[in-house]
Amino acid sequence: MSQVTTKLMMLRQRLELAALAAKREPEDIQLLAVSKTFPAIAVEEAMHAGQTAFGENYAQEGVEKIQQLSKLRPWLEWHFIGPLQSNKTRDVAEHFDWVHSIDRLKIAERLSTQRGEFSNLGPLQVCVQINVSEEDSKSGISLEEVDALCDAISKLPHLALRGLMAIPAPSDDVSQQHQSFAAVRECFVGIKAKHSNDVGFDFFDTLSMGMSDDLEAAITEGSTMVRIGSAIFGKRDKIKA
Ligand SMILES: *Cc1c(COP(=O)(O)O)cnc(C)c1O
C-alpha cells in the first residue's frame, strides 16, 4: 500500500473520531486533499484510494497538475484555496470548480465575467475568506465587512456563493483554536439567517475550516469542509510551502 493510501486511511479515521466526539455525522464533513507542492502522481494515488476533491494554492502549479491529469478530470473536483491576484483569475475561472479565497469584490467580478465566457462550465463555486485573527499579513476580509461582500457576490451571474473560509493564525492553544472557529461559525449562521429569503444564498452551506493541526477544533465548531495537506501527503518542502 502506498504512503498516501495509508495516511489517507488514518486521516479518515481521525475525521470520523472527531465527528463522533462532536456528535456530528462524519458524512457531513467533506475532505479536501491539499496537493500543493506535490506531484500529479500523488493526486492519482489519493484518487485510487477514493479521494476526489483536491486543493491547490498557486494558479500556475494547479493548472499544470489539472492538465497533467486531464484524463481523470471528470472524476476530480479542483479547489483553488490560495491568494488570488487579478492576473491569475482567468486561469482559475477556466480550470477550477471552486475558489475558497475571495476577499475582494473586484476579484469576484473578474471571475464571474471570465467564467461566463466558458458556456460549457456551470457557475464557479465560491467562498469568502475571513481574516479571523485580524493579522495584517494574512489575506481575508474582516468579520464586519463579510456580509456586504457576500451580498454583492450573491448577485453575480456566474458564481455560486457557497459559504465562508478561514485560516486562523496557527496556535497550540486549543481554546484559542475553538474561539477563532466559533467566531467564523457565528458569522456564517448570522449571514445565513439574514439572507434566508434571498435566492443568491440558496447554496450557502459551506464552512471551509480546519487543517492538519487543528481539524478537531474546526469540526467541533461546525466545519463542513476540512482542507488537509501534510497529514495526507507528508511534510512539504519548507521553501515552497
Ligand atoms: C496548505 C494549506 C492547507 C493545508 O495545510 P496542512 O497544514 O498541510 O494540512 C489548508 N488550507 C490552505 C489555505 C492552505 O494553504
Side-chain angles (χ1 to χ4, degrees):
M1 215 183 288
S2 79
Q3 281 271 352
V4 169
T5 305
T6 311
K7 287 205 165 89
L8 197 49
M9 285 169 61
M10 282 163 57
L11 177 71
R12 286 191 187 124
Q13 276 185 358
R14 197 177 146 198
L15 288 175
E16 199 170 308
L17 285 176
L20 292 177
K23 300 196 163 51
R24 300 184 55 200
E25 298 295 334
E27 53 269 29
D28 291 343
I29 300 142
Q30 291 180 62
L31 171 57
L32 180 64
V34 178
S35 46
K36 67 179 178 204
T37 79
F38 291 96
I41 182 81
V43 171
E44 241 182 299
E45 275 178 44
M47 187 193 140
H48 287 303
Q51 179 65 28
T52 54
F54 294 90
E56 288 287 335
N57 268 58
Y58 311 100
Q60 193 182 335
E61 181 195 342
V63 170
E64 279 170 20
K65 231 172 275 182
I66 291 168
Q67 286 172 337
Q68 283 166 7
L69 296 167
S70 60
K71 285 209 182 75
L72 303 174
R73 188 69 183 87
W75 294 280
L76 299 181
E77 191 177 87
W78 288 99
H79 295 232
F80 188 80
I81 61 175
L84 186 49
Q85 310 300 331
S86 294
N87 62 347
K88 295 285 165 33
T89 53
R90 180 171 296 279
D91 278 343
V92 170
E94 181 175 354
H95 295 282
F96 283 83
D97 302 296
W98 283 66
V99 178
H100 291 225
S101 45
I102 295 192
D103 59 3
R104 278 174 291 159
L105 184 57
K106 184 180 158 221
I107 294 288
E109 287 171 340
R110 285 178 68 91
L111 286 170
S112 180
T113 304
Q114 291 165 344
R115 185 72 165 192
E117 293 165 16
F118 300 97
S119 52
N120 57 321
L121 301 177
L124 188 61
Q125 313 293 308
V126 302
C127 292
V128 167
Q129 182 175 352
I130 300 190
N131 181 354
V132 68
S133 306
E134 302 280 349
E135 286 171 288
D136 292 340
S137 59
K138 282 267 167 69
S139 354
I141 192 166
S142 72
L143 282 166
E144 297 76 49
E145 297 168 298
V146 62
D147 178 47
L149 180 58
C150 284
D151 197 29
I153 289 175
S154 75
K155 300 184 169 97
L156 296 174
H158 303 290
L159 302 185
L161 180 65
R162 295 302 301 270
L164 303 180
M165 183 271 241
I167 315 172
S171 170
D172 293 334
D173 177 354
V174 175
S175 75
Q176 179 58 52
Q177 293 177 2
H178 279 271
Q179 215 174 12
S180 304
F181 290 133
V184 183
R185 181 198 60 225
E186 281 163 27
C187 180
F188 173 79
V189 170
I191 291 174
K192 205 170 161 58
K194 180 174 172 194
H195 297 279
S196 59
N197 293 320
D198 299 346
V199 282
F201 286 79
D202 280 356
F203 302 101
F204 193 78
D205 61 359
T206 300
L207 208 38
S208 165
M209 55 189 201
M211 318 204 313
S212 295
D213 291 333
D214 56 14
L215 67 90
E216 281 82 7
I219 287 173
T220 305
E221 300 303 338
S223 170
T224 67
M225 198 185 292
V226 289
R227 309 177 310 269
I228 309 295
S230 47
I232 299 172
F233 296 108
K235 274 213 175 70
R236 283 182 297 274
D237 182 341
K238 274 257 158 47
I239 302 155
K240 286 168 83 183

